[in-house]
Amino acid sequence: MQNRFIRIGQLASTKKNPGRWPVSPATVWRWAHAGLLPAPGRLGPGVSAWPIEVIEQFERERGLASDRTQEPRQ
């Protein structure tokens, strides 16, 4: 079974690239640093990513849907 990973550019939205969540990359990093989102794993030098299963679990637990802006519940 191949692990699937999701990188910050796929999670967060920017003006040029809509991501999975309607939040900025800075917000995703703040959530990770605050412990609201599990820390990403390192895939290589300068490459961080989360296993897709971790992201899906986070979305289920926090009620975060990709079509609405919402801070994760604590």
Side-chain angles (χ1 to χ4, degrees):
M1 179 179 190
Q2 182 180 8
N3 289 334
R4 297 181 313 156
F5 293 92
I6 188 163
R7 294 179 62 185
I8 188 77
Q10 296 166 295
L11 279 179
S13 295
T14 63
K15 289 182 181 182
K16 294 182 180 181
N17 181 36
R20 183 176 181 113
W21 300 335
V23 299
S24 71
T27 296
V28 175
W29 286 120
R30 276 194 303 272
W31 290 351
H33 289 285
L36 299 174
L37 177 65
R42 301 287 295 179
L43 299 181
V47 181
S48 299
W50 291 263
I52 191 70
E53 296 82 14
V54 169
I55 296 303
E56 290 170 347
Q57 180 179 353
F58 175 82
E59 291 173 336
R60 284 190 303 272
E61 290 174 354
R62 304 292 180 158
L64 183 65
S66 60
D67 63 341
R68 54 179 204 228
T69 302
Q70 172 179 331
E71 286 289 319
R73 293 182 292 230
Q74 295 186 20

